[in-house]
Amino acid sequence: MKRLIALIAVGVLLAGCATGRLTSEERLELYRAHAGPPQNAMRYFGSLNGWAELGDSALAVWTRPSEAYLLELRGPCYGLSYATAIGLTSRIGQVSARFDKVLIRDPNQGPTVPCFIGSIRPLDVKALRASEKELRQAQVQEREGTDG
C-alpha cells in the first residue's frame, strides 16, 4: 500500500512540476492517495478548522488541525471553486454520507443549491503534509535548476 501511495505521489509530482502548480484534479488525486476507506459519518461540532476545494465535486475539511476528511460529492457543486466560505449540515454532532450536504456561503450571491455528500474518507494528515512538502521542495529545486 505504501508503494502505491508513493507511486501516485510521484505521478502527481511530475505532473505538478511541469506547470509549477498542481491543478484541482492533481490535488484531488494526492488527497485520494492519502485517504482511508469510506465511512458512514464524521464527527462535526459546528465549526471547521479549514477547508480546501479539490475541483467542483470534492473538498477536504479539517475538523481539527490534525483531523481532516475527504468529502466527495454526488455531482458537481456549483460555486465550490470560488466559494469564500462553506457550511455543512449535520445531526447530533455528525455529518453523514448520502444524507448531509455542503452549503456554499457567498455574501455576493443569494442562496445556492446544496451539494450532497457522496462519501466521507478520513485523511492521513501527517502523510499528506509530508507529500505536499516534498512537492514544494521539488518545485523549488526545479526552478533553481532551470535558472542556473
Side-chain angles (χ1 to χ4, degrees), residues 65-86:
S66 62
E67 184 177 86
Y69 298 89
L70 174 62
L71 305 181
E72 297 208 44
L73 307 173
R74 287 190 183 171
C77 186
Y78 177 74
L80 183 60
S81 62
Y82 56 84
T84 57
I86 64 160

Side-chain angles (χ1 to χ4, degrees), residues 13-59:
L13 170 74
L14 294 174
C17 284
T19 63
R21 186 164 188 249
L22 296 178
T23 66
S24 293
E25 294 81 20
E26 292 165 342
R27 286 185 18 247
L28 176 56
E29 287 306 313
L30 180 64
Y31 278 65
R32 281 178 176 157
H34 295 290
Q39 55 189 45
N40 292 329
M42 64 180 229
R43 290 182 300 166
Y44 177 67
F45 298 107
S47 66
L48 294 174
N49 195 269
W51 66 281
E53 64 86 13
L54 302 169
D56 65 357
S57 60
L59 68 154

Side-chain angles (χ1 to χ4, degrees), residues 16-147:
C17 284
T19 63
R21 186 164 188 249
L22 296 178
T23 66
S24 293
E25 294 81 20
E26 292 165 342
R27 286 185 18 247
L28 176 56
E29 287 306 313
L30 180 64
Y31 278 65
R32 281 178 176 157
H34 295 290
Q39 55 189 45
N40 292 329
M42 64 180 229
R43 290 182 300 166
Y44 177 67
F45 298 107
S47 66
L48 294 174
N49 195 269
W51 66 281
E53 64 86 13
L54 302 169
D56 65 357
S57 60
L59 68 154
V61 295
W62 279 259
T63 53
R64 295 186 305 188
S66 62
E67 184 177 86
Y69 298 89
L70 174 62
L71 305 181
E72 297 208 44
L73 307 173
R74 287 190 183 171
C77 186
Y78 177 74
L80 183 60
S81 62
Y82 56 84
T84 57
I86 64 160
L88 300 174
T89 62
S90 64
R91 183 177 169 114
I92 314 171
Q94 288 201 348
V95 173
S96 299
R98 298 177 304 283
F99 297 108
D100 283 306
K101 305 169 220 78
V102 174
L103 306 170
I104 305 300
R105 298 203 171 138
D106 187 348
N108 299 322
Q109 186 178 13
T112 59
V113 176
C115 309
F116 282 89
I117 298 169
S119 69
I120 299 171
R121 297 171 60 193
L123 288 167
D124 182 343
V125 175
K126 207 178 258 191
L128 178 62
R129 287 182 179 151
S131 290
E132 289 174 332
K133 182 178 179 182
E134 287 176 20
L135 289 171
R136 284 191 299 274
Q137 288 174 341
Q139 290 171 357
V140 168
Q141 290 173 353
E142 179 68 25
R143 286 187 205 118
E144 289 172 354
T146 58
D147 289 338

